[in-house]
Amino acid sequence: MNLELAQPVTDRAGLGERSGARQLRVLHVGKFYPPHMGGIETHLQALCGALREHADVRVIVSSEGRYTIEEMVDLVPVARLSTLLTAFSTSISPGMVSRIRQSGAELVHLHLPNPAAVLAYLASGHRGRLIVTYHSDTVKQKVLGRMFEPFLNAALRKSAAIIATSPNYLATSPVLQAFRDRCQIIPYGIDTAQFEQCAPEAVRAVRERFGERLVISVGRLVYYKGFEVLIRAMRDVRGKLAIVGDGPLRGELQSLAAQLGVTDKVVFAGEVNNAAVTSFYHAADLFALASVARSEAFGIVQIEAMAAGLPVVNTSLDSGVPFVSLDGETGLTVPPGNPQALAAAINRLLDDQGLRQSLGQAGVRRARQEFSLDTMLRRTLALYENVTGSGERSFQ
């Protein structure tokens, strides 16, 4: 299978309204589904919402309790299956085996890492085609990952195709190296138009609150996001930082800001809705993603910031992060865990309006061309057609 970046289908007629032809039945299997927040969950909702006009799409995930909930989420049928227990951050939903077996799906699309879903798929005896989106290696629980490896490899051997979300991750994942021949690169896509425009009064309100020379960072307050490094960098930054998001490290990070004497520079804005995030993007001068670990496999928030016209300062992780925003083209890339280098890159952009504008404009173009929802949809439909041999009529 071609290891180059998957190209979108170019014939729009094949992606039009349904014309009476039987649609391919596709079952997506994930961990959770929004409103549960997470990068994989957000991607799953966006992809299935776009696919539903072209295929018979259904979703099964675990619920966050002991009850099974069947519902329609934006016209997508979602079954949140009863969770018996949670072990090693994995929800165990025994009903997943029978749901896959009885689904009648010609194509099952697994989203990994998800050990419970892998075991359920293997136990189901599903005879249709399998596609796997390999979102990330198992990073923290390495011992458990090695124990589970035979089951993961068994599922990957059964797959007709494996989606990697960036060429960088494909090149650096030890798991994917054994399956390069069936890997296809399809980056994440979002509705970029949602972030391109913002009400002027909302932007004004953010600027009045924070002032000029504003840096924004968005994400859960967890270890791999590198917020500690970013806060340390702010000692040398001639500007302010707004951190949008919440998480288990909020208390520690606030204490660090106080200890370093940067509480006048660092503001914790907490969780906000999409409209409010967009107003932060449009009020800021640049976006910073200071991630320090491979657990940050891609960094979708970079696309949001780029769509809003912001240059990005990111880190040179061996993951998809530096693939999204390119060093010297749409932003600046620095070594992870280096507050001095991070501060220098931020100051360089804050001091150079012309550079900010040129990188920001290039970011808008890259977001539209490579990371739009429409582009991701077309690449995915082309892959579905390829592995099932079903032809365009199944997706009309």
Side-chain angles (χ1 to χ4, degrees), residues 95-378:
M96 196 168 281
V97 176
S98 60
R99 285 294 182 122
I100 296 173
R101 180 184 298 135
Q102 298 166 12
S103 66
E106 297 150 275
L107 179 65
V108 169
H109 191 149
L110 286 181
H111 294 263
L112 306 183
N114 188 348
V118 167
L119 294 175
Y121 178 81
L122 293 174
S124 73
H126 176 255
R127 295 182 178 276
R129 305 291 269 171
L130 172 66
I131 285 179
V132 171
T133 293
Y134 193 84
H135 295 272
S136 172
D137 294 324
T138 300
V139 178
K140 285 192 72 175
Q141 298 172 340
K142 293 185 178 180
V143 174
L144 181 64
R146 285 195 294 270
M147 293 172 58
F148 186 73
E149 192 171 315
F151 301 100
L152 173 61
N153 288 339
L156 294 178
R157 281 194 297 270
K158 286 180 173 290
S159 68
I162 301 168
I163 296 173
T165 57
S166 72
N168 303 43
Y169 214 89
L170 173 58
T172 57
S173 168
V175 173
L176 293 181
Q177 291 311 299
F179 301 95
R180 285 183 66 93
D181 62 331
R182 66 188 75 191
C183 287
Q184 185 85 29
I185 299 165
I186 303 180
Y188 295 122
I190 66 169
D191 179 5
T192 55
Q194 176 184 346
F195 299 95
E196 291 182 10
Q197 303 294 329
C198 188
E201 58 272 17
V203 177
R204 252 191 326 269
V206 175
R207 286 180 177 161
E208 288 173 359
R209 178 182 175 189
F210 293 98
E212 301 296 322
R213 298 176 66 89
L214 177 61
V215 180
I216 182 175
S217 192
V218 178
R220 289 194 69 233
L221 307 186
V222 292
Y223 83 97
Y224 64 84
K225 294 288 185 181
F227 284 113
E228 176 188 344
V229 180
L230 183 54
I231 291 171
R232 291 186 184 279
M234 289 305 297
R235 289 178 296 183
D236 301 316
V237 170
R238 298 181 295 276
K240 268 194 162 184
L241 168 67
I243 297 176
V244 178
D246 211 339
L249 296 184
R250 178 164 183 162
E252 289 183 31
L253 294 172
Q254 287 175 321
S255 297
L256 177 63
Q259 175 189 333
L260 297 175
V262 294
T263 52
D264 59 329
K265 289 184 173 184
V266 179
V267 178
F268 292 83
E271 287 188 6
V272 300
N273 60 30
N274 280 347
V277 169
T278 304
S279 68
F280 274 94
Y281 287 141
H282 282 265
D285 293 289
L286 63 96
F287 177 83
L289 185 72
S291 302
V292 294
R294 188 176 165 80
S295 299
E296 186 76 271
F298 192 86
I300 292 177
V301 286
Q302 295 181 98
I303 309 174
E304 299 176 0
M306 290 159 60
L310 285 183
V312 173
V313 176
N314 63 12
T315 55
S316 55
L317 293 170
D318 61 344
S319 72
V321 168
F323 163 75
V324 180
S325 177
L326 302 175
D327 185 33
E329 295 186 30
T330 60
L332 302 176
T333 301
V334 301
N338 188 326
Q340 291 77 29
L342 189 59
I346 291 172
N347 281 331
R348 180 183 172 192
L349 290 176
L350 289 175
D351 292 341
D352 192 335
Q353 182 180 4
L355 181 60
R356 291 201 310 271
Q357 289 178 342
S358 63
L359 295 176
Q361 290 166 1
V364 172
R365 292 192 295 270
R366 181 163 172 77
R368 289 175 179 172
Q369 293 167 4
E370 293 297 336
F371 305 119
S372 72
L373 183 59
D374 189 57
T375 298
M376 179 177 70
L377 169 65
R378 291 168 180 279

